[in-house]
């Protein structure tokens, strides 16, 4: 199966990175979370209710909607925070939100994780000199994020591949059932930082190793 | 077209589309209330949350939507539209956006109604939640209050986009294919805010510190129906059955959910004229309508005014707020054909049903509730300029009060209304002097009007950050009266003081040595 891949790109000030990432990741997760499944006998299940919350950004003129789940918010904030710390003040980086399915393999092979949708958000950070520029940036980034939300919604509403609704035994292979109030699809967040030379750290390492081996 | 669809599926589909339409309206209107929305997730299905989303149902909104639909469903050529417009305190109005729920002929016969369509409609609602925060009207609606309010109108039939001005943009929220057609949800929004920029509404200062709890239930009234449906039961995909949906949306949902109160909308349209805002009222002397919930309810509805399609003339809106008990208090809504008060719903309103003249009657003392209800009442009433108030019965504005100079005055006619005819330059000293001279102890309109327009503090720029010293100053220009300075309490305490004086003197004379020693110590 082909994995759907979408790339979003934003340019923000360093202090806006966290909120911009939260806004986009939460918007995606809002669409990719359902209520908790409760399986009953006869193979039926009922679905819990997902609440939503408006979040105003402090450094950006923007409000986004996220799922009302403290646990989920904590998990996303943690990942974004790591990303933000790794990102230098005028660097570039990319944070990826990948939705995957687990496929049980036979021993001795471990379970496979097969991604079915990957969202990559490329971030460029800039430094601004004065308050006036920062104010303009607040508004501009707000508008840009709005456009990105529209892009996200557009992609999602194409209603392309989604994993089949699982049976009770399979639910852990499709959904993240560890949260107590909502159930997002299984996801993982990874990031890459590009150093100022424009090459990503991972490619530099790879090159080093290759060079070493070549000697 | 329906031949391939089983009767049960057809019934379910109709129900889904109907409730989808109702929920769509709720989401859009709630997003324009001007507040942040927050609902809780619940892991166990309550059975009343359509599309597995916690979206509150505001009864008036549902009522309006049902009225517009009149038993029909969105279909081909019959779209359900929610028009969002802005109305300024002068009575100018402008359409901001139109959300359209349409149906086209493109059918998807193979899709499973009970399952796929339902889930996709749920995703579409989530998208709607996200997109409603993104269009330009969202920011405007968050700042509504003093200078303008946001109104909504629901209509059914042909989409009308003419009022959006030139160059309007369209954003498509999403589509869901069904066996009877494809449901499309989109928004057309105005980009040409020329009317606005000339008045600089976009740059108007954000309103500070006024919070209205829109979801306060009217006390004692309107028992909300708990059960709006029953748990959705799905069959897991490996079950060969077609997946009958067990949602039993009984007739009860459709007919009785929101009919415990008579149909009503509160239309508080603001018009230019004598209506003024009084300054924030001191709690101890303000008496407001009976029930706190009542006020909040009314405010909520007011803020969210529904404008009936054939708007019957501008309704006059006079604010008459006295500072003291026994004076006429409250908002007066002029009678208008389509004007009803939401407060009529609450059963314990004495001034209710049919009394279109006034929300509150004069001379009745009422207990007030939270201070923010008071302030929100103020917030909603029209402000001509930030500090121009109707003099009304503000008796205690006497000379000896520290803020006498800033006492509210009224403007009697539109000619003096600075918002309509802005003065050439901000009046500086003269009103101030006039106020100091006018000794009208009763304060009933004898003092000159004190109008300040375009307040620009000399040392702060207002083009970068509208929220600055100027705004702060403006907002807090008219502080409430100090309780200790109001007449009756001050006279009482005076008397007490005088009585206790001899006693005090005696004590002091007795301890005169101690005092002397203390003074020596200090030197």
């Amino acid at each position: 199966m082909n994995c759907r891949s979408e790339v979003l790109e934003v340019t923000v000030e360093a202090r806006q990175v966290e909120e911009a990432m939260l806004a986009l990741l939460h918007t995606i997760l809002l669409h990719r979370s359902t209520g908790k499944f409760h399986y009953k006998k006869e193979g039926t299940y009922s679905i819990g209710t997902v609440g939503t919350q408006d979040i105003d950004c402090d450094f950006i003129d923007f409000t986004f909607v996220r799922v009302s789940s403290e646990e989920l918010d904590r998990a996303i904030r943690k990942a974004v925070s790591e990303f933000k710390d790794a990102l230098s003040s005028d660097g570039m980086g990319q944070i990826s939100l990948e939705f995957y399915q687990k496929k049980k393999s036979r021993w001795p092979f471990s379970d496979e994780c097969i991604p079915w949708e990957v969202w990559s958000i490329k971030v460029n950070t800039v430094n601004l000199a004065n308050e006036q520029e920062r104010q303009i940036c607040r508004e501009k980034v707000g508008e840009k994020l709005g456009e990105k939300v529209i892009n996200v919604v557009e992609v999602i509403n194409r209603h392309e591949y989604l994993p089949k609704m699982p049976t009770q035994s399979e639910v852990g292979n499709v959904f993240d059932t560890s949260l107590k109030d909502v159930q997002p699809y299984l996801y993982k967040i990874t990031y890459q930082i590009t150093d100022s030379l424009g090459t990503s750290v991972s490619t530099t390492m790879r090159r080093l190793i290759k060079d070493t081996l070549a000697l | 077209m329906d031949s391939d669809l089983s009767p049960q599926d057809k019934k379910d589909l109709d129900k889904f589309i109907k409730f989808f339409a109702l929920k769509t309206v709720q989401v859009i209107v709630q997003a324009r209330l001007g507040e942040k929305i927050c609902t809780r997730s619940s892991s166990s299905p309550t059975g009343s949350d359509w599309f597995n989303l916690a979206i509150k149902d505001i009864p008036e909104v549902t009522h309006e939507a049902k009225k517009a639909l009149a038993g029909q469903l969105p279909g081909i050529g019959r779209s359900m539209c929610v028009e969002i417009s802005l109305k300024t305190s002068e009575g100018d109005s402008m359409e901001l956006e139109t959300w359209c729920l349409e149906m086209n002929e493109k059918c998807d016969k193979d899709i499973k109604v009970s399952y796929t369509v339902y889930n996709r409609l749920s995703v579409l609602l989530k998208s709607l939640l996200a997109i409603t925060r993104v269009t330009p009207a969202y920011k405007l609606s968050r700042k509504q209050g003093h200078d303008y309010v946001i109104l909504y109108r629901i209509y059914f039939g042909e989409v009308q986009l003419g009022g959006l001005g030139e160059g309007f943009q369209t954003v498509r929220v999403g589509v869901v294919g069904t066996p009877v057609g494809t449901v499309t949800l989109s928004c057309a929004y105005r980009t040409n805010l020329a009317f606005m920029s000339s008045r600089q509404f976009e740059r108007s200062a954000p309103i500070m510190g006024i919070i209205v709890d829109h979801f306060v239930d009217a006390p004692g009234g309107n028992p909300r129906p708990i059960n709006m449906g029953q748990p959705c039961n799905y069959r897991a995909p490996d079950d060969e059955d077609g997946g009958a949906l067990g949602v039993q949306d009984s007739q009860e949902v459709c007919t009785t959910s929101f009919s415990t109160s008579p149909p009503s909308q509160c239309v508080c349209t603001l018009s230019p004229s004598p209506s003024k805002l009084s300054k924030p009222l001191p709690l101890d002397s303000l008496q407001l309508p009976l029930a706190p919930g009542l006020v909040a309810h009314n405010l909520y509805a007011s803020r969210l005014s529904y404008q009936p399609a054939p708007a019957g003339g501008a309704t006059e809106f006079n604010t008459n707020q006295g500072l003291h008990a026994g004076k006429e208090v409250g908002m007066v809504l002029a009678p208008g054909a389509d004007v009803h008060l939401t407060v009529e719903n609450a059963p314990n309103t004495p001034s209710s049903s049919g009394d279109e003249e006034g929300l509150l009657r004069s001379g009745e003392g009422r207990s007030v509730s939270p201070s923010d209800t008071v302030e929100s009442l103020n917030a909603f009433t029209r402000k001509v300029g930030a500090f121009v108030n109707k003099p009304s019965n503000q008796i205690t504005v006497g000379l000896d009060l520290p803020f006498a100079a800033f006492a509210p005055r009224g403007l009697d006619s539109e000619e003096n209304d600075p918002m309509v005819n802005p003065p050439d330059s901000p009046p500086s000293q003269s009103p101030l002097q006039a106020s100091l001279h006018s000794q009208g102890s009763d304060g009933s309109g004898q003092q000159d009007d004190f109008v300040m327009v375009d307040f620009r503090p000399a040392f702060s720029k207002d083009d970068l950050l509208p929220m600055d010293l100027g705004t702060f100053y403006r907002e807090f220009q008219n502080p409430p009266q100090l309780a200790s300075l109001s007449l009756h309490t001050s006279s009482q305490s005076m008397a007490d003081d005088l009585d206790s004086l001899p006693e005090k003197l005696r004590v002091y004379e007795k301890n005169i040595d101690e005092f002397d020693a203390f003074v020596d110590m200090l030197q």
Side-chain angles (χ1 to χ4, degrees):
Chain A
M1 153 223 340
N2 287 329
C3 171
R4 190 164 56 237
S5 171
E6 303 295 333
V7 179
L8 305 165
E9 197 159 341
V10 288
T11 301
V12 298
E13 224 193 327
R15 64 181 186 167
Q16 295 171 322
V17 169
E18 188 161 4
E19 285 179 336
M21 295 304 102
L22 285 173
L24 294 176
L25 293 175
H26 271 301
T27 300
I28 299 166
L29 277 165
L30 168 69
H31 292 85
R32 292 284 180 247
S33 301
T34 73
K36 294 284 288 178
F37 282 12
H38 296 276
Y39 286 91
K40 305 181 212 174
K41 49 190 191 292
E42 302 147 19
T44 62
Y45 60 92
S46 58
I47 307 183
T49 302
V50 171
T52 58
Q53 224 175 328
D54 284 341
I55 305 291
D56 287 337
C57 296
D58 294 324
F59 299 111
I60 314 176
D61 267 347
F62 191 67
T63 302
F64 63 93
V65 182
R66 70 153 206 248
V67 168
S68 287
S69 166
E70 291 305 321
E71 281 177 275
L72 184 63
D73 187 39
R74 265 200 302 271
I76 305 299
R77 276 182 191 274
K78 184 155 167 284
V80 167
S81 184
E82 280 174 24
F83 173 64
K84 179 194 77 170
D85 292 338
L87 203 56
S88 66
S89 73
D90 59 358
M92 280 183 6
Q94 177 175 297
I95 189 166
S96 299
L97 172 61
E98 179 187 299
F99 292 102
Y100 63 95
Q101 264 179 279
K102 267 200 246 180
K103 191 169 150 195
K104 292 254 185 282
S105 302
R106 268 187 247 173
W107 183 89
F109 303 105
S110 57
D111 292 343
E112 268 185 87
C113 290
I114 307 175
W116 51 271
E117 188 174 74
V118 178
W119 297 86
S120 301
I121 307 173
K122 291 204 167 111
V123 182
N124 300 317
T125 53
V126 294
N127 273 332
L128 295 178
N130 63 44
E131 199 51 45
Q132 190 166 7
E133 282 183 29
R134 283 198 196 103
Q135 181 62 22
I136 296 172
C137 190
R138 270 183 76 98
E139 294 166 8
K140 284 267 175 298
V141 171
E143 286 170 18
K144 270 280 172 255
L145 281 181
E147 287 172 28
K148 299 302 159 195
V149 164
I150 294 176
N151 290 349
V152 166
V153 160
E154 210 180 345
V155 169
I156 288 181
N157 273 274
R158 287 186 214 146
H159 298 300
E160 290 168 346
Y161 174 80
L162 275 184
K164 262 179 11 177
M165 283 300 150
T167 58
Q168 189 166 12
S169 51
E170 299 272 301
V171 71
N173 294 341
V174 174
F175 287 102
D176 178 352
T177 49
S178 63
L179 302 170
K180 64 176 177 3
D181 44 12
V182 294
Q183 193 173 285
Y185 281 100
L186 277 173
Y187 70 92
K188 64 165 98 115
I189 299 182
T190 55
Y191 63 86
Q192 273 178 291
I193 305 294
T194 314
D195 64 23
S196 50
L197 292 176
T199 52
S200 76
V201 171
S202 59
T203 53
T204 313
M205 287 305 299
R206 223 179 291 145
R207 230 201 341 255
L208 268 173
I209 293 168
K210 246 195 257 172
D211 290 344
T212 323
L213 291 174
L215 284 171
Chain B
M1 181 166 77
D2 297 340
S3 55
D4 296 337
L5 212 55
S6 75
Q8 179 63 33
D9 273 350
K10 176 77 174 76
K11 190 159 153 263
D12 289 340
L13 188 60
D14 285 346
K15 212 170 7 177
F16 294 168
I17 293 179
K18 172 181 156 190
F19 279 93
F20 180 75
L22 295 176
K23 287 293 182 184
T24 294
V25 176
Q26 289 287 349
V27 168
I28 294 169
V29 171
Q30 287 175 27
R32 298 288 175 261
L33 279 179
E35 292 184 340
K36 295 202 292 192
I37 305 292
C38 179
T39 56
R40 290 183 57 203
S41 302
S42 157
S43 74
S44 33
T46 57
S48 59
D49 296 318
W50 274 93
F51 307 105
N52 307 118
L53 281 174
I55 298 173
K56 283 198 175 111
D57 282 317
I58 300 173
E60 288 81 5
V61 174
T62 305
H63 180 80
E64 286 309 317
K66 283 186 172 165
K67 213 164 81 166
L69 284 173
Q72 295 183 301
L73 287 179
I76 296 156
R78 297 191 316 264
S79 310
M80 191 188 73
C81 301
V82 181
E83 182 187 281
I84 301 289
S85 54
L86 174 150
K87 186 152 187 162
T88 65
S89 43
E90 276 92 53
D92 294 319
S93 75
M94 180 166 79
E95 271 174 49
L96 295 176
E97 13 173 71
T98 300
W99 298 82
C100 310
L101 177 60
E102 302 169 286
M103 191 80 133
N104 69 32
E105 308 89 20
K106 188 162 164 233
C107 301
D108 185 345
K109 300 269 185 214
D110 301 322
I111 205 169
K112 265 187 167 178
V113 168
S114 63
Y115 169 74
T116 311
V117 171
Y118 191 84
N119 285 336
R120 287 188 182 177
L121 287 174
S122 175
V123 169
L124 188 52
L125 266 182
K126 290 174 182 168
S127 300
L128 182 64
L129 279 163
I131 300 280
T132 42
R133 276 61 172 173
V134 158
T135 53
Y138 181 71
K139 291 207 184 86
L140 288 172
S141 68
R142 288 290 296 268
K143 294 180 187 161
Q144 69 181 295
H146 286 191
D147 299 313
Y148 60 87
V149 286
I150 303 291
L151 312 177
Y152 73 94
R153 177 172 85 93
I154 307 172
Y155 63 90
F156 193 70
E158 291 276 325
V159 179
Q160 297 152 25
L161 298 178
L164 293 174
E166 283 183 17
F168 65 85
Q169 300 267 21
T170 312
V171 59
R172 197 167 77 163
V173 181
V175 297
V176 172
T178 76
V180 301
T182 300
V183 174
T184 312
L185 187 52
S186 59
C187 171
Y189 60 92
R190 167 185 283 270
T191 51
N192 176 14
L193 294 167
F195 149 66
M196 299 273 293
S197 51
S198 66
R199 304 249 191 184
Q200 294 200 311
F201 282 122
E202 278 190 295
R203 303 294 246 159
S204 66
I207 310 303
M208 299 204 289
I210 295 166
I211 299 165
V212 177
D213 180 7
H214 286 310
F215 293 102
V216 171
D217 285 330
N222 295 354
R224 284 180 189 272
I226 313 289
N227 294 317
M228 284 168 51
Q230 288 179 7
C232 301
N233 288 316
Y234 289 93
R235 294 190 189 277
D238 56 357
D239 191 314
E240 286 304 310
D241 237 16
L245 187 66
V247 174
Q248 275 145 38
D249 172 33
S250 55
Q251 279 307 13
E252 176 188 22
V253 178
C254 308
T255 56
T256 65
S257 317
F258 312 104
S259 65
T260 49
S261 28
S264 61
Q265 314 94 46
C266 176
V267 179
C268 297
T269 51
L270 310 170
S271 58
S273 65
S275 45
K276 307 296 178 288
L277 172 76
S278 71
K279 61 190 184 193
L281 306 165
L283 283 183
D284 61 347
S285 53
L286 173 72
Q287 317 243 296
L288 271 196
L290 292 183
L294 199 64
V295 177
H297 203 177
N298 184 41
L299 284 175
Y300 139 70
S302 312
R303 193 179 254 200
L304 191 64
S305 324
Y306 171 76
Q307 199 165 22
T315 51
E316 283 289 343
F317 178 66
N318 290 318
T319 308
N320 228 343
Q321 292 189 341
L323 285 180
H324 291 279
K327 296 301 162 192
E328 184 155 15
V329 172
M331 296 199 288
V332 176
L333 294 174
D338 292 321
V339 175
H340 301 267
L341 298 175
T342 351
V343 292
E344 292 176 356
N345 293 346
N348 52 0
T349 321
S351 64
S352 73
S353 47
D355 182 359
E356 284 172 327
E357 281 181 11
L359 170 57
L360 307 155
R361 281 196 279 264
S362 59
E364 283 187 32
R366 307 201 181 146
S367 57
V368 75
S369 51
S371 59
D372 50 5
T373 315
V374 170
E375 287 179 351
S376 48
L377 190 63
N378 294 332
F380 181 70
T381 56
R382 177 180 158 250
K383 277 187 181 175
V384 173
F387 4 79
V388 175
N389 303 316
K390 194 176 174 88
S392 66
N393 306 297
Q394 288 153 6
I395 290 185
T396 58
V397 178
L399 256 203
D400 50 342
L401 298 177
F403 290 98
F406 297 98
R409 326 290 163 81
L411 291 177
D412 291 316
S413 66
E414 202 172 336
E415 288 83 67
N416 292 336
D417 185 337
M419 289 290 269
V420 174
N421 301 318
D424 292 324
S425 57
S428 51
Q429 284 306 305
S430 42
L432 203 58
Q433 286 166 351
S435 72
L436 287 174
H437 289 311
S438 67
Q439 307 271 328
S441 56
D442 278 334
S444 46
Q446 290 177 15
Q447 290 155 344
D448 287 341
D449 297 332
F450 175 57
V451 174
M452 207 195 304
V453 177
D454 272 354
F455 182 87
R456 289 185 201 280
F459 39 84
S460 79
K461 280 162 91 98
D462 63 18
D463 52 348
L464 288 183
L465 294 168
M467 167 113 77
D468 61 354
L469 183 67
T471 315
F472 179 88
Y473 189 84
R474 217 179 302 152
E475 289 293 329
F476 293 96
Q477 176 103 38
N478 294 318
Q481 268 192 359
L482 292 175
S484 57
L485 292 174
S486 53
L487 266 182
H488 59 276
T489 52
S490 64
S491 56
Q492 257 187 335
S493 57
M494 247 314 233
D496 288 345
D497 284 338
L498 286 171
D499 286 344
S500 64
L501 261 179
E503 181 64 45
K504 283 188 188 156
L505 280 173
R506 238 196 325 248
V507 170
Y508 297 152
E509 276 178 25
K510 213 159 52 146
N511 297 329
I512 202 161
D513 293 327
E514 275 180 45
F515 289 127
D516 285 343
F518 180 67
V519 168
D520 288 336
M521 192 175 66
L522 290 175
Q523 283 172 355

